[in-house]
Amino acid sequence: MEQVIPLRKKRIGFLASGRGSNFQAVIDAIAAGEIPGIGVGLITDNPRAYAIERARNAGIPVRVIDYAEFPSKAVYEEELLAAMRDFQADLFVLAGYMRILGQEIVREFSGRMMNIHPALLPAFPGLHAQRQAVDYGVKVAGCTVHLVDDGTDTGPIIIQRCVPVLQDDDETTLADRILAEEHSVLPLAVKLFCEDRLVLEGRRVRIRP
Ligand code: GAR
């Protein structure tokens, strides 16, 4: 008889800088039993981030590491790295974390840190991706979940979803259409990770059936 070995629930840490709707989508999926994981904590660089309230409502511990209070990025990142280690997380999810992480952090969490970006990478990396897409005049836009490497939005792609760009779109209307996809694709990527179904081959991510 086939023996089914239950998965150990993965410990998931989050970094977010603002509204936190992607963070909410993932913790909702965890609460619904769709992801074999536990949200172990949220770290934010912004004391006014709405994500903080979302974490508190869900009973998830919050660490505020206010970027503005540090004399340099290097000192800020020392504190950030220490906080990340404290979580003993299997996975870190960058859910609207709006800073570029330094090499030491990227290296330490290589293969177990994912980011959601509101564009079809490798098009439109960096800030204001939706505005870049509207200004460029592309007809299709979307979002990407990728593993984090030491470039800006250059890591191996886990999943992408596309949406049409409509004639009268501006940055906001396009961002809203993309965001609806982000909220389904990020929990899916986290679920696949937690089910040990992501296999990295070179820079290609294979999804085990
Ligand atoms: C999302 O659209 C996310 O893709 C984007 O910020 C927004 C955060 O929204 N991230 C980036 O642009 C990262 N370069 P949220 O705080 O409601 O999840």
Side-chain angles (χ1 to χ4, degrees), residues 18-23 95-98 116-118 126 130 153 179 182:
R19 178 179 54 184
S21 68
N22 277 293
F23 166 61
Y97 180 70
M98 302 309 271
I116 176 96
H117 183 73
Q130 305 94 329
D153 302 319
L179 191 66
E182 294 183 43

Side-chain angles (χ1 to χ4, degrees), residues 71-134:
S72 67
K73 184 171 177 194
V75 182
Y76 160 79
E77 289 218 336
E78 274 173 30
E79 184 88 7
L80 177 59
L81 179 56
M84 290 174 80
R85 283 178 178 152
D86 281 350
F87 283 180
Q88 301 191 341
D90 298 295
L91 171 68
F92 271 98
V93 178
L94 309 188
Y97 180 70
M98 302 309 271
R99 295 184 189 281
I100 295 172
L101 288 167
Q103 283 202 353
E104 198 183 349
I105 293 179
V106 169
R107 236 177 266 140
E108 179 152 337
F109 298 97
S110 171
R112 52 195 186 99
M113 181 156 60
M114 61 174 69
N115 178 47
I116 176 96
H117 183 73
L120 293 175
L121 293 169
F124 313 130
L127 291 177
H128 307 299
Q130 305 94 329
R131 188 192 305 167
Q132 293 184 58
V134 171

Side-chain angles (χ1 to χ4, degrees), residues 124-195:
F124 313 130
L127 291 177
H128 307 299
Q130 305 94 329
R131 188 192 305 167
Q132 293 184 58
V134 171
D135 290 350
Y136 196 95
V138 292
K139 303 295 185 191
V140 177
C143 54
T144 303
V145 185
H146 64 92
L147 292 169
V148 176
D149 70 4
D150 55 12
T152 302
D153 302 319
T154 53
I157 290 170
I158 302 170
I159 318 180
Q160 296 185 297
R161 285 275 171 78
C162 52
V163 301
V165 182
L166 305 181
Q167 300 275 42
D168 297 324
D169 268 339
D170 58 21
E171 182 182 359
T172 309
T173 55
L174 179 60
D176 287 347
R177 195 172 309 117
I178 294 172
L179 191 66
E181 295 300 322
E182 294 183 43
H183 292 165
S184 82
V185 93
L186 184 61
L188 175 58
V190 173
K191 172 184 159 77
L192 293 170
F193 180 95
C194 291
E195 292 175 348

